[in-house]
Amino acid sequence: MQHKRTLAGIALAAAAIVTLAGCSATSSASTSGSSDADWKTATSAESAGGLDALVKAAKAEGQLNVIALPPSWANYGKIIDGFTKKYGITINSANPNGSSADEVAAVKSQKGQSTAPDVLDLGNAVLQQNLDLLTDYKVANWDDIPTTLKDEKGAWTRDYTGLMSIGYDSSKITDAPKDLNDLLGSEYKGKVSISGDPTQANQAASAVYLAALENGGSADDITAGVTYFGKLKQAGNFQNVLPTQATVASGETPVVIQWSYNNLAWGPAAGASGNKNWKTVVPEGQALGSYYSQAISKDAPHPAAARLWQEYIASPDVQNLYLQAGAFPSTLAALEKSGKVDQDALDAAGGAPKDYVELTDEQATAAAKVLSAKWASTMGS
């Protein structure tokens, strides 16, 4: 879906420019016996005996394989720990700094193996290109997820979103950047990075989308965003280093364009492991958001645990954990209506974004084609 946004419409904070100071392990094969076939094809817990039966089968499997879920990303550290504590199921977390494309590659290369990913957390462009890898499943609180944020049959559900933002080390950058074009200045020489290859990673691609919106492009044509990054490289300001919480803490990557919840998580909120000088700016003008989607691999080696994970992350408690990290969960409206929302977390995030740009499925597919055709030649890689 796409939303048009006015500057006054965004409710991420009180001001037009918001400054906030603050996905490999081995897995055992499924051991739930003859019930495996049922859970491999179950499209809801109710269709295969109910939630209690699902929990029993998942516990019998005893394992869940996730991929590309950094602990600092949208509170996944707490979310993963909470699942294991609640159900006694071991989570094997592979390639935590991997991209959506890495997730898909693992599903394909490890098909039939006990180590293959059970569940996926995907950006939209990669999702749309790999729908054949997914299986249908509807969580118990399916109705809490807006129709526009889920596949009709349950192949995927949008889960959480943030806004593209600029994180910067205020001990190294004297003037807070107002928008991406400020990053073309000499103060940013060799200092600006994005989270991976935009042809592979949704977060990196979204930085290009935002650059397009700021430079005369649109969600329909993101070519201007590629051109912007070409200028950033020509100026000597683009740093071809994958930023992590550790590189931000050490000062190696002093400016990072990424989701607001990740920039927030790498700053003072991280305590001793964060950067006390790290600040987050949502650029003025058009804001860009993008939901990440949850899905189950149709070849999941632990089909019951995979479905239980979907139930778990869609629950109010975990949806609030996303919110506590500054990510807006897909069930936010239902949480507010039922009175189950973590109001303090919602207030700290500045309220849900009302109007912003998000690429539609068709626009994301078209953008992926532009990036595939032009990114490498523009950036000389």
Side-chain angles (χ1 to χ4, degrees):
M1 70 179 171
Q2 180 179 358
H3 304 273
K4 293 183 179 178
R5 175 190 187 269
T6 61
L7 182 58
I10 191 70
L12 188 64
I17 300 173
V18 183
T19 302
L20 302 169
C23 290
S24 171
T26 60
S27 166
S28 64
S30 174
T31 59
S32 55
S34 62
S35 66
D36 282 353
D38 294 333
W39 290 110
K40 281 182 179 295
T41 58
T43 56
S44 69
E46 184 180 10
S47 72
L51 281 172
D52 288 346
L54 175 59
V55 171
K56 182 178 180 180
K59 286 183 173 181
E61 291 174 349
Q63 305 278 324
L64 176 73
N65 299 339
V66 304
I67 185 170
L69 298 182
S72 64
W73 178 295
N75 240 351
Y76 267 119
K78 289 184 178 180
I79 291 169
I80 288 171
D81 289 345
F83 183 80
T84 295
K85 182 177 180 180
K86 184 171 184 177
Y87 297 112
I89 295 170
T90 299
I91 291 187
N92 307 304
S93 181
N95 195 8
N97 290 316
S99 66
S100 293
D102 291 331
E103 296 183 53
V104 169
V107 170
K108 294 178 178 179
S109 66
Q110 298 178 43
K111 182 178 178 179
Q113 300 178 30
S114 64
T115 55
D118 289 303
V119 292
L120 302 168
D121 182 290
L122 296 170
N124 198 31
V126 173
L127 171 75
Q128 296 304 321
Q129 295 165 6
N130 295 280
L131 296 174
D132 60 318
L133 300 179
L134 314 178
T135 191
D136 296 341
Y137 185 77
K138 295 183 179 181
V139 294
N141 61 332
W142 181 254
D143 290 343
D144 288 349
I145 305 169
T147 302
T148 54
L149 299 181
K150 59 189 177 186
D151 174 67
E152 182 180 7
K153 294 183 177 180
W156 51 263
T157 58
R158 308 290 194 228
D159 193 20
Y160 59 90
T161 187
L163 297 177
M164 265 290 115
S165 67
I166 303 169
Y168 71 99
D169 189 328
S170 60
S171 70
K172 300 179 183 296
I173 302 297
T174 57
D175 294 324
K178 298 179 178 63
D179 54 35
L180 296 190
N181 286 317
D182 284 350
L183 306 185
L184 294 169
S186 59
E187 184 178 10
Y188 296 91
K189 186 76 69 175
K191 294 178 179 176
V192 183
S193 60
I194 59 176
S195 296
D197 181 345
T199 67
Q200 305 291 315
N202 180 63
Q203 183 170 214
S206 296
V208 182
Y209 304 163
L210 178 60
L213 297 178
E214 288 193 10
N215 289 277
S218 69
D220 291 316
D221 185 0
I222 58 97
T223 302
V226 179
T227 301
Y228 164 84
F229 275 95
K231 292 179 179 178
L232 193 71
K233 182 170 184 180
Q234 289 174 353
N237 294 4
F238 184 74
Q239 182 185 27
N240 193 21
V241 174
L242 179 68
T244 65
Q245 184 171 344
T247 64
V248 163
S250 69
E252 182 183 355
T253 53
V255 181
V256 181
I257 306 168
Q258 64 176 354
W259 296 122
S260 51
Y261 50 81
N262 286 329
N263 272 324
L264 288 168
W266 293 358
S273 62
N275 184 330
K276 66 179 181 180
N277 299 308
W278 195 251
K279 298 183 183 297
T280 302
V281 171
V282 175
E284 59 186 1
Q286 286 189 310
L288 180 88
S290 179
Y291 276 92
Y292 280 79
S293 293
Q294 304 297 317
I296 301 170
S297 168
K298 68 180 182 181
D299 297 311
H302 310 103
R307 284 158 174 79
L308 184 59
W309 173 258
Q310 301 302 307
E311 298 285 357
Y312 172 73
I313 60 176
S315 68
D317 285 350
V318 179
Q319 293 281 286
N320 274 317
L321 284 177
Y322 288 121
L323 185 58
Q324 288 168 19
F328 299 101
S330 59
T331 66
L332 181 55
L335 290 172
E336 291 184 285
K337 184 177 181 180
S338 67
K340 295 179 180 179
V341 71
D342 184 331
Q343 192 62 50
D344 289 342
L346 183 58
D347 291 345
K354 303 299 182 183
D355 297 303
Y356 67 106
V357 174
E358 179 169 357
L359 273 63
T360 64
D361 296 348
E362 294 78 12
Q363 289 169 336
T365 299
K369 292 178 180 178
V370 172
L371 288 167
S372 179
K374 298 183 177 182
W375 180 259
S377 59
T378 299
M379 302 302 287
S381 58

